[in-house]
Amino acid sequence: MGELPGAVLFDLDGTLLESEQLWMQSAVEVMNALGSVWSDEDQAKFIGGPLALAAEHMSQRVDKKTSADDIAGKLLMAQEEQIRHGVLPWKPGALALLREAAETNLPRALVTASWRRLVDVLVERINVDVGARAFTLEVAGDEVSNGKPDPEPYLKAAKALLVRPVQCLVVEDSPKGVQSAVSAGCHVVAVQDSSFTESAGVMVVESLEAQTLENLWLGVTT
């Protein structure tokens, strides 16, 4: 095996799982129950961002009749039900890449805007599909002071894994996530977004299908 990164840091929503569709369904369900609506345009504004920000926006939409914390709780409940009783919607190539990371025993982290309560439910399901412990650790959205696009989530993951950011391969799909990882000093693979451009330390790929850790690391570091 060739050269590999010191650690692999994975985003979740839209990168490993097609979970934005699940979030959209949950958001529509919650807002309808509160007598409001949630559109594709609303959803697009908060992709890759912290749950608290979306919940605050929703609270403003219902004239603060329901607090942002209450709305966040309702969103999490709706999402947990979908995860427990549905099939995980894996993005192409994501499951194979996670299995490779587990088999090589590289330090690996999930770095997500999702809250710990939801992360725990998801990781249980992910571990089953991977057939091993998928992540060495997770950094959840409610465990940082500043979420993506701030570099804090990726800096926290690298520090916890005892790896320098420059040794980390980050797999992301959103502009906010890419900005977070780049600002942290990591090497980044940006998946499937026409707004991304190649730059120093950032490689754009159409999908993770047929990708390996080695070719991603070589592609982003050479």
Side-chain angles (χ1 to χ4, degrees):
M1 179 170 292
E3 186 178 355
L4 292 174
V8 190
L9 313 180
F10 294 95
D11 173 54
L12 176 65
D13 296 326
T15 300
L16 295 179
L17 301 177
E18 192 63 85
S19 45
E20 294 302 341
Q21 294 179 5
L22 300 180
W23 276 114
M24 181 67 179
Q25 293 170 17
S26 297
V28 168
E29 176 185 322
V30 169
M31 291 298 275
N32 284 349
L34 293 172
S36 187
V37 296
W38 191 254
S39 68
D40 290 337
E41 290 75 17
D42 292 321
Q43 183 75 5
K45 292 177 184 177
F46 297 97
I47 290 176
L51 174 61
L53 195 61
E56 180 61 35
H57 180 75
M58 291 176 171
S59 179
Q60 297 288 341
R61 288 276 289 274
V62 296
D63 298 323
K64 294 190 175 181
K65 290 181 288 187
T66 304
S67 72
D69 285 346
D70 286 343
I71 289 176
K74 293 177 185 295
L75 285 168
L76 289 171
M77 286 181 63
Q79 192 77 337
E80 286 170 10
E81 284 300 303
Q82 294 190 69
I83 293 164
R84 287 195 174 101
H85 302 295
V87 175
L88 289 185
W90 287 100
K91 296 287 288 186
L95 182 55
L97 197 66
L98 266 184
R99 285 174 173 161
E100 182 191 356
E103 289 168 2
T104 56
N105 206 31
L106 278 175
R108 53 207 181 276
L110 182 67
V111 183
T112 175
S114 295
W115 288 10
R116 170 56 63 179
R117 170 178 159 183
L118 183 61
V119 169
D120 287 342
V121 176
L122 272 164
V123 169
E124 283 186 16
R125 287 294 313 277
I126 289 172
N127 286 345
V128 171
D129 285 4
V130 172
R133 183 180 177 186
F135 309 107
T136 309
L137 58 88
E138 307 90 36
V139 175
D142 54 341
E143 294 173 342
V144 294
S145 299
N146 302 288
K148 304 172 187 178
D150 192 272
E152 182 185 347
Y154 283 108
L155 289 173
K156 182 172 182 176
K159 183 177 180 180
L161 292 173
L162 304 178
V163 178
R164 291 185 298 134
V166 72
Q167 298 173 296
C168 294
L169 173 65
V170 169
V171 187
E172 265 284 359
D173 82 304
S174 73
K176 289 180 181 178
V178 170
Q179 182 180 340
S180 173
V182 169
S183 297
C186 303
H187 293 286
V188 188
V189 171
V191 186
Q192 229 177 12
D193 190 306
S194 59
S195 69
F196 296 135
T197 56
E198 299 273 351
S199 61
V202 179
M203 179 175 73
V204 181
V205 297
E206 290 187 4
S207 83
L208 297 176
E209 192 76 59
Q211 299 284 1
T212 67
L213 293 174
E214 181 181 354
N215 65 34
L216 290 176
W217 183 242
L218 286 175
V220 83
T221 56
T222 57

